[in-house]
Amino acid sequence: MSEFQIYPAIDLRGGKCVRLFQGDYGQETVYADSPVEMAQSFVEAGAKWIHMVDLDGAKDGSRINDQVVIEAAKLDANIQVGGGIRSREDINHYLSNGVARVIIGSLAVREPELVASFIEEFGAERIVIGIDAKDGMAATEGWIETSHKPASEVAAYFASKGAKHFIYTDISTDGTLAGPNIDANRKLVADDASQVIVSGGIGTLDDVKKVKQAAGDSPIAGLIIGKALYENRLTLEEALSC
């Protein structure tokens, strides 16, 4: 098991740093006009990784805020990005411009065989399978649509194809600060080679400690923190010190 990582989150919409409540584009809060400056503040706090999501891209199915992401990739931290990544060209665009890992979500649900070929082509360290779920079922298109595929089924398929990194987001907890769904993350994959990053619901330092504790005997290998940082529920330094 690799080192447990904490990923401060930057969600991009209209070139700004925002957060949505339970994935609802109608419930948006803008936290910063400059996502790159926000990323720099996370680097200065000690972040080794930063999690970025192009919300406009996720909704529209194309890269929209990619230049902001590429600018952030010049900082002294690893960037993983999701949202609007739908093709080999999208993946290559990011990876060839300094981004460490790309997250594929909707396409993984709709065209799993194609995404499996991306894992083989670009390598398991560069491709993250993002699984967003409502009531255990995988959601797509920026959480606007829900598929008929169980999240666990999607994860099992990609684990069998060599995927190493998964991000599991329980949409019902995202942006709520109500605590993460640790149990669902524990059960997402059975493959010992796979690692799961917990996303959604982190609201307190105690939540961080609980996830870290759960990582001891499960595939959990990290967590994503967004709203709790922006609303000063905890600091990144405090989270990293855990």
Side-chain angles (χ1 to χ4, degrees):
M1 180 67 70
S2 62
E3 181 184 359
F4 186 89
Q5 295 288 348
I6 289 179
Y7 301 76
I10 296 177
D11 288 356
L12 304 164
R13 193 174 185 207
K16 297 182 178 182
C17 178
V18 309
R19 296 299 291 173
L20 305 183
F21 181 79
Q22 295 183 330
D24 185 349
Y25 281 73
Q27 297 189 64
E28 171 192 278
T29 302
V30 176
Y31 285 105
D33 290 332
S34 174
V36 176
E37 289 182 7
M38 182 63 70
Q40 178 62 36
S41 72
F42 290 150
V43 172
E44 291 171 357
K48 295 180 180 179
W49 284 86
I50 296 173
H51 173 82
M52 303 186 79
V53 178
D54 181 352
L55 292 176
D56 294 313
K59 187 176 182 180
D60 296 344
S62 61
R63 300 189 311 264
I64 294 178
N65 292 288
D66 55 311
Q67 292 306 311
V68 176
V69 177
I70 289 169
E71 189 66 24
K74 297 175 183 177
L75 302 175
D76 190 22
N78 297 296
I79 302 294
Q80 68 177 19
V81 63
I85 298 172
R86 301 287 192 269
S87 68
R88 178 174 285 100
E89 290 73 23
D90 290 334
I91 296 170
N92 190 63
H93 174 70
Y94 280 121
L95 296 184
S96 64
N97 280 288
V99 174
R101 296 198 298 230
V102 298
I103 305 159
I104 302 179
S106 298
L107 195 66
V109 177
R110 292 200 318 269
E111 299 186 50
E113 292 181 359
L114 176 61
V115 176
S117 75
F118 293 158
I119 295 171
E120 183 175 357
E121 179 178 350
F122 294 100
E125 284 296 338
R126 309 300 300 276
I127 304 292
V128 182
I129 304 301
I131 302 177
D132 307 323
K134 287 183 178 179
D135 300 320
M137 307 301 285
T140 62
E141 313 307 328
W143 303 350
I144 295 171
E145 299 177 13
T146 303
S147 75
H148 298 290
K149 293 183 179 181
S152 57
E153 182 180 301
V154 176
Y157 172 82
F158 284 106
S160 74
K161 296 300 180 180
K164 182 176 180 180
H165 300 287
F166 293 84
I167 296 174
Y168 182 84
T169 304
D170 182 345
I171 295 172
S172 66
T173 67
D174 191 74
T176 66
L177 303 172
N181 188 339
I182 294 176
D183 193 47
N185 280 273
R186 280 179 181 272
K187 297 176 179 177
L188 184 67
V189 291
D191 188 339
D192 290 340
S194 300
Q195 299 181 2
V196 179
I197 301 169
V198 176
S199 174
I202 300 294
T204 65
L205 195 59
D206 192 47
D207 289 334
V208 175
K209 293 176 180 177
K210 287 178 180 177
V211 175
K212 180 65 170 64
Q213 184 176 19
D217 60 352
S218 75
I220 293 173
L223 60 84
I224 293 168
I225 309 178
K227 190 174 182 179
L229 294 176
Y230 296 112
E231 298 200 348
N232 300 313
R233 301 294 184 99
L234 73 164
T235 68
L236 183 56
E237 290 91 342
E238 288 172 335
L240 290 168
S241 72
C242 292

